Amino acid sequence: MTTLTTAALVATLVLTGAVLLLLAAVAVEHARRGRRLAREERRRAELTPLVYAALDDDEDGAAALARLEAAPASLDDLVLDLLPQLRGADRAALGRLLARRGVVTRAAADLAARAPWRRGRAAALLGNAADPGQTDALTALLADRAPDVRCAAARALGKAGDVRAAGPLLRALARSRRVPAGVVGMALLDLGTPVLPDLRAAVTDPPSPAAQALAADLLGLHGDVEALPLLLGLVADARRPAAVRCSAATALGRVGVPTATPALGAALAQTAVPALRHAAAEALGRIGDDDAIDLLAATVAGGDDAVRAACADALAGAGEEGRARLAAHAWHSGRVGEAARAALSNRPRPRDARVRRAA
Amino acid sequence: MTHVLVVDDDPAIASLVAFKIGRLGARVSVESDGEAGLAAARQLRPDLVVLDWMMPRMNGLEVCAALRADADPAVAGVPVILLTAKAQESDVERGFVAGATDYVVKPFSPRELVSRVTAALPAGALTP
Amino acid sequence: MREALTGFVTTLNWTVLGYVLVLDTSMLLLVLFGARRVVTNLRWSGAEGLDRVFASPLTPGVSVLVPAHDEEAGVLDTLAAVLSQRYPLLEVVLVDDGSTDRTFALVAERYGLTPVTPRWTADTVVEGRVLSVHRATTGDPLTVVRKTSVKRRSDALNVALNLARHPLVCMVDADSLLEPDALLKVARPFIEDPEHVVGSGGVIRTANAALTDRGAVLEPRLSRRWLVRIQAVEYLRSFLLGRTTWADADALLIISGAFGLFRRDAVVEVGGLDPRSLAEDAELVVTLQEHLRRAGRPSRMVFVPETVCWTEVPETWSVLGRQRQRWSHGLAQLLWKHRRMVGNPRFGPVGLLALPFFLLFELLGPVVEVLGLVSVVVAAVLGLLDPGTAALMVAVALALGVLVSTAVVAVEEFTFHRYRSGADLRALLLAGAVENVGYRQLHAWFRLRGLLAALTRRDPVWTAMPRTGFTTAVAPAEA
């Protein structure tokens, strides 16, 4: 017992010591943080007007820029906070300022750091600074061993705006160290319309089914009329994976050209692929030409329950004519009427939605 | 003197926008939440409001709708430019339904915003 | 005879002490590993690409499901916080679960509700009767269902699930306030690992006395009530650092009912929330893990150690007692229902680590602790206890307990430092110390009662918690 009690005594003392140490650390940290934050705020207040002035192209701007080159490090944080919110010439000017202060070079070196968060932060910074010289380094990072870093690299490539990144981004969708479609997709959207040729190429000659589906999705979001024949081919091609055909159908709806109505009508009849039928119904609703509305109305009345709701919703979103056709069904009892009523009451017309006057 | 009200809960954005518009020779007031913004608009009756959407207390959409419904015609008719990170198609629709004059998505180009502010004001109100 | 008794009592005392030391040491380890993870996470902050997730039209939509039973005190704040989430595509389904107060009237007035024909998207079994379905006319994506209550939160959530349209469902309690980025942060794992992530949870903190305005937490403040302060430390320890570590070990058992995001198809596949469970949030997570592992589909439950959902916690001992008894009862049900998973390597770290830990320390902990207290008292009365030894035993257990709590507060101060004022920080530290004297013992008693209720198969009772609502900015600092 005595050894046990001695051990307990020692343990108590050690633990109490640890508690006291922690308390002291907390006290010091709390006191220091207050001062640090106050100092930081003061510096920012001094530097902010200079940064804004430096955005102008005139003499004042040049003078402000010259003064900023030797400013303390808090300037970098200030600029880095502002940068992601901006576009255009002002963003480019801030990017150049960072480059001149050596921030970009340091971040480029950090791309090879050991800690994933350092690599990720460096990638994010380079994306915001949009230095075209970093595209290759960021592209290499798409195969990083840490998934977080791969995603950060993809986002950075999107923000940096170099079109050469489109191919590598699409290829990053399918390999053992992959980047998910949601991240690649947004990066490609950030790159804008200049990547349309790459996206069309990914539909005709896909590096992977995932890339093909995503490319179709993005072409739809861009409303790319030139891709119409390619998308029509995908929807009709029964050998393609269902996901690819669905993406193509959705894209056709977004492009919104009535030429696609017959192909989508055929897809709507594909009872073996329920997901495709849903996508086709929605797409027809978006196109909303007379033929599309006829197809949807017929499917609401005669189709099976699986697509009835989708068709009814599509009609409710397809303008006055679609709503009128749906209203004709709404008086029926049974499932057809119920689907019609649900669709009508759940999709009020935009102008019905009055924003209430706040009290 | 032309008077512009900037309402944004991000102080960096608010001060940048205020700086840019101030350069045009306008008087600029800044508020950092929707409720204060609405009160300021009613009291100061500015010539234009640059309004963020997502803010504490009252969102920009509510502010915009409240401005449009105001009894004072000068307040109800003020041009409102929504400056927001909400970028979806349906958001833009909702913004205009609420009575916005113009809609600018963040990340934004400050130069473009300045052009839009100038365009939304009566001709000659500002001299860029 | 006396010698044998002495020997027995002494052995019991030392065993209980040993148990408490092992429990507290594992707590300390959970806290330390959690702290490490939190620090790494914070280092990423600003570079996680949340702005891209927000701007992306490819971000999956979220249906936020809010069950509400007599929540007139906070429901409008909760809705305001949810509807002003920084998230690209979302809808809210509020279930008025047989409220007898003005819950529905308030919402109907604020959002101009109009009755609609419901569009069901799933047919999860629901016991209560749906009375009507309404939709906001203010342009807000809000649907409200009125149903008769069967006194179960799970039933309300299942109705909401049947109306949800988006691929992700987020469950939020009607007494909780989400921070503006909360949804964006918990949804990010679904975008960055879409093949595996099935559920994702965020940090829950105590909202009592925090300064709020229309759903926005303007300034976190610590309540003046010690009971709430202690729970604040407890939430930091278990619901922040503990869960962070468990999730890192791929062994997360609980995503809090106050705030959790799941893949809708997976939840529908397992039939929604278990109507018999008293801990339906943990139950859902374990059921999903079991189901997906059995089906050979890889899955991950993740925890985002920074999102903040502020929730109201009990302010009185009796309410707290009922709540903890229910949790313990629910945990016992859960472990019994999934007893085949306990220690089963087929279920990975969940079966090998988390379930045994919860069985040994969470469920049986109160038995040992109450037993220990009784044995110390017995020993003292019989004069079997050497006062010096006894004092030392208590001291070492106390010191370890205080160390754990202090470490928790230290992590908070070094990382998030949400409580600005020094007074709040001191109160938090003191609450952590006080927790070990009185609170911990009573808590053990509440949990023991829950365990007993489960063992006697008593009918699960879901008791409502009286709400006080949130402190608004215009009101004096504290109610």
Side-chain angles (χ1 to χ4, degrees):
Chain A
M1 271 310 145
T2 36
T3 40
L4 265 179
T5 36
T6 319
L9 187 66
V10 173
T12 310
L13 290 176
V14 170
L15 291 170
T16 314
V19 169
L20 292 176
L21 215 63
L22 270 177
L23 286 177
V26 167
V28 170
E29 169 68 11
H30 190 80
R32 273 178 43 195
R33 188 197 331 278
R35 283 203 295 277
R36 200 169 60 225
L37 289 178
R39 194 173 56 228
E40 189 64 19
E41 202 166 326
R42 250 193 341 268
R43 285 219 181 122
R44 281 190 169 222
E46 284 164 19
L47 291 169
T48 308
L50 276 180
V51 172
Y52 296 163
L55 293 177
D56 285 343
D57 300 321
D58 56 10
E59 280 168 34
D60 292 356
L65 205 58
R67 284 181 62 191
L68 283 176
E69 270 180 55
S74 16
L75 172 70
D76 300 335
D77 294 333
L78 196 154
V79 172
L80 286 171
D81 285 350
L82 199 58
L83 212 49
Q85 310 243 39
L86 302 183
R87 277 193 304 140
D90 292 328
R91 176 176 174 229
L94 289 179
R96 283 196 300 276
L97 174 64
L98 287 180
R100 252 190 264 176
R101 287 174 55 87
V103 177
V104 172
T105 327
R106 282 199 295 277
D110 257 1
L111 288 181
R114 221 169 64 84
W117 64 270
R118 274 190 200 284
R119 298 200 296 280
R121 284 201 82 91
L125 190 155
L126 292 174
N128 284 328
D131 184 338
Q134 303 298 334
T135 307
D136 292 336
L138 287 173
T139 305
L141 218 58
L142 284 176
D144 194 90
R145 59 183 181 280
D148 287 350
V149 178
R150 297 201 289 271
C151 289
R155 285 189 296 265
L157 283 168
K159 283 194 161 185
D162 186 340
V163 195
R164 284 183 301 149
L169 278 169
L170 281 164
R171 282 194 294 279
L173 283 167
R175 58 174 170 227
S176 57
R177 288 180 178 176
R178 74 187 65 168
V179 186
V183 178
V184 169
M186 190 57 210
L188 288 167
L189 284 173
D190 276 337
L191 288 174
T193 45
V195 297
L196 285 178
D198 299 88
L199 295 176
R200 288 180 209 128
V203 168
T204 41
D205 182 21
S208 64
Q212 195 174 31
L214 181 65
D217 276 331
L218 299 179
L219 286 169
L221 287 167
H222 279 296
D224 181 31
V225 183
E226 262 186 67
L228 209 58
L230 309 177
L231 296 170
L232 285 171
L234 282 191
V235 170
D237 191 345
R239 291 164 307 173
R240 297 284 172 197
V244 172
R245 298 177 74 191
C246 287
S247 293
T250 306
L252 285 171
R254 288 187 191 275
V255 175
V257 182
T259 342
T261 301
L264 288 170
L268 188 62
Q270 298 273 314
T271 40
V273 199
L276 179 60
R277 303 181 74 193
H278 280 264
E282 205 189 294
L284 285 168
R286 273 183 178 267
I287 295 176
D289 66 329
D290 291 349
D291 290 345
I293 285 174
D294 284 345
L295 279 164
L296 288 169
T299 318
V300 168
D304 50 281
D305 290 341
V307 283
R308 179 171 291 129
C311 290
D313 283 351
L315 278 175
E320 290 303 328
E321 173 63 16
R323 296 179 67 85
R325 295 287 278 276
L326 204 51
H329 288 305
W331 301 107
H332 293 267
S333 56
R335 294 178 176 224
V336 176
E338 203 181 327
R341 286 194 298 276
L344 282 172
S345 60
N346 281 305
R347 178 93 69 109
R349 282 166 297 175
R351 63 168 168 275
D352 289 349
R354 295 266 179 273
V355 176
R356 276 167 58 86
R357 185 182 164 180
Chain B
M1 192 179 194
T2 309
H3 188 181
V4 176
L5 174 66
V6 177
V7 191
D8 198 316
D9 63 332
D10 181 342
I13 296 297
S15 66
L16 172 62
V17 172
F19 179 87
K20 285 276 181 181
I21 297 173
R23 276 292 175 100
L24 302 177
R27 189 156 76 89
V28 187
S29 310
V30 175
E31 291 294 343
S32 63
D33 75 67
E35 204 171 59
L38 180 60
R42 282 178 174 151
Q43 199 203 333
L44 305 171
R45 303 166 80 194
D47 299 294
L48 184 136
V49 182
V50 177
L51 192 60
D52 186 14
W53 184 328
M54 290 172 295
M55 289 182 293
R57 285 208 163 98
M58 197 171 179
N59 70 46
L61 226 52
E62 291 169 325
V63 174
C64 193
L67 288 175
R68 291 292 172 253
D70 202 275
D72 182 346
V75 174
V78 64
V80 175
I81 299 183
L82 276 175
L83 173 62
T84 168
K86 283 176 96 82
Q88 312 294 328
E89 195 183 24
S90 56
D91 296 329
V92 182
E93 275 175 16
R94 273 184 78 188
F96 281 112
V97 167
T101 318
D102 203 347
Y103 195 102
V104 178
V105 173
K106 292 180 194 168
F108 69 109
S109 156
R111 294 171 193 226
E112 183 189 315
L113 179 70
V114 163
S115 305
R116 288 178 185 273
V117 167
T118 317
L121 286 166
L126 291 176
T127 44
Chain C
M1 176 64 201
R2 184 176 171 90
E3 204 167 284
L5 191 64
T6 314
F8 176 72
V9 171
T10 317
T11 316
L12 188 64
N13 281 347
W14 283 106
T15 315
V16 169
L17 177 69
Y19 176 90
V20 169
L21 292 185
V22 172
L23 169 61
D24 281 9
T25 310
S26 20
M27 271 301 179
L28 190 60
L29 286 176
L30 283 173
V31 165
L32 293 180
F33 282 117
R36 211 181 63 161
R37 177 72 202 176
V38 164
V39 168
T40 319
N41 221 62
L42 283 178
R43 292 205 158 126
W44 272 93
S45 90
E48 319 98 312
L50 291 177
D51 59 327
R52 298 296 82 199
V53 178
F54 179 59
S56 173
L58 302 168
T59 299
V62 171
S63 299
V64 184
L65 317 182
V66 189
H69 174 77
D70 287 350
E71 297 279 6
E72 63 177 9
V75 70
L76 287 183
D77 287 327
T78 301
L79 281 180
V82 171
L83 287 167
S84 56
Q85 281 291 297
R86 202 159 82 90
Y87 197 83
L89 183 59
L90 110 162
E91 65 164 359
V92 183
V93 183
L94 175 83
V95 181
D96 171 22
D97 195 20
S99 296
T100 51
D101 66 356
R102 294 194 305 136
T103 302
F104 180 79
L106 288 175
V107 177
E109 209 269 305
R110 170 67 182 78
Y111 293 98
L113 296 182
T114 171
V116 296
T117 313
R119 160 94 139 76
W120 304 105
T121 55
D123 49 5
T124 309
V125 180
V126 173
E127 286 174 49
R129 201 159 47 82
V130 173
L131 302 171
S132 56
V133 180
H134 308 256
R135 216 184 147 80
T137 55
T138 47
D140 295 287
L142 170 69
T143 305
V144 179
V145 191
R146 302 194 82 179
K147 69 179 274 282
T148 57
S149 174
V150 293
K151 292 200 176 345
R152 277 198 304 268
R153 188 176 163 270
S154 52
D155 204 52
L157 279 170
N158 284 337
V159 170
L161 188 65
N162 286 344
L163 277 167
R165 289 164 164 242
H166 292 311
L168 300 177
V169 288
C170 176
M171 302 173 188
V172 178
D173 274 350
D175 59 344
S176 304
L177 298 179
L178 300 189
E179 298 221 320
D181 275 347
L183 210 48
L184 208 52
K185 286 178 179 165
V186 287
R188 192 172 68 103
F190 286 90
I191 292 145
E192 304 215 329
D193 189 4
E195 288 152 62
H196 301 114
V197 175
V198 176
S200 165
V203 176
I204 313 292
R205 287 183 180 237
T206 53
N208 307 46
L211 202 62
T212 68
D213 190 355
R214 267 154 283 179
V217 174
L218 299 179
E219 192 192 325
R221 283 187 191 163
L222 209 51
S223 168
R224 285 208 187 125
R225 289 171 197 266
W226 282 100
L227 195 59
V228 175
R229 292 177 170 183
I230 291 171
Q231 288 178 79
V233 181
E234 201 188 5
Y235 273 51
L236 284 175
R237 185 184 60 227
S238 304
F239 302 165
L240 199 176
L241 299 167
R243 283 182 193 167
T244 304
T245 309
W246 285 118
D248 256 12
D250 203 10
L252 190 63
L253 278 196
I254 306 176
I255 287 176
S256 171
F259 182 44
L261 188 61
F262 299 91
R263 247 173 53 192
R264 182 171 63 104
D265 57 350
V267 180
V268 171
E269 219 173 284
V270 297
L273 289 118
D274 184 341
R276 289 172 308 279
S277 175
L278 276 177
E280 67 284 331
D281 40 6
E283 168 61 38
L284 175 65
V285 173
V286 180
T287 301
L288 283 172
Q289 299 258 29
E290 180 174 18
H291 174 76
L292 293 167
R293 291 248 182 196
R294 274 190 200 285
R297 276 147 60 187
S299 65
R300 266 177 76 204
M301 293 286 167
V302 294
F303 185 75
V304 181
E306 52 169 329
T307 319
V308 175
C309 165
W310 298 85
T311 193
E312 226 182 301
V313 301
E315 297 207 334
T316 62
W317 283 103
S318 65
V319 179
L320 180 77
R322 286 204 298 274
Q323 182 196 45
R324 296 309 161 99
Q325 181 177 342
R326 178 162 55 76
W327 287 2
S328 176
H329 190 162
L331 179 66
Q333 287 178 320
L334 181 147
L335 287 166
W336 178 249
K337 182 177 165 190
H338 301 278
R339 58 190 177 281
R340 290 205 176 79
M341 290 173 77
V342 182
N344 190 338
R346 191 176 159 186
F347 297 100
V350 173
L352 288 178
L353 275 176
L355 285 168
F357 180 91
F358 273 76
L359 175 66
L360 212 59
F361 289 119
E362 289 284 328
L363 189 68
L364 298 180
V367 179
V368 181
E369 290 196 18
V370 170
L371 201 67
L373 278 175
V374 172
S375 96
V376 168
V377 171
V378 167
V381 168
L382 295 182
L384 297 175
L385 206 65
D386 166 35
T389 317
L392 211 52
M393 284 165 71
V394 172
V396 72
L398 213 57
L400 188 55
V402 173
L403 178 64
V404 174
S405 306
T406 313
V408 168
V409 182
V411 172
E412 156 71 12
E413 178 59 22
F414 276 93
T415 53
F416 301 106
H417 49 87
R418 296 302 290 265
Y419 297 104
R420 294 276 168 76
S421 85
D424 277 357
L425 186 62
R426 281 192 293 276
L428 216 51
L429 283 166
L430 199 55
V434 172
E435 183 193 357
N436 291 284
V437 199
Y439 180 88
R440 183 172 175 155
Q441 290 73 22
L442 265 169
H443 187 200
W445 171 243
F446 298 146
R447 283 152 69 205
L448 186 65
R449 277 181 19 202
L451 177 59
L452 290 176
L455 286 175
T456 52
R457 305 249 167 165
R458 204 174 302 155
D459 259 352
V461 213
W462 216 102
T463 42
M465 181 178 125
R467 308 290 185 210
T468 48
F470 300 101
T471 318
T472 54
V474 279
E478 271 169 272

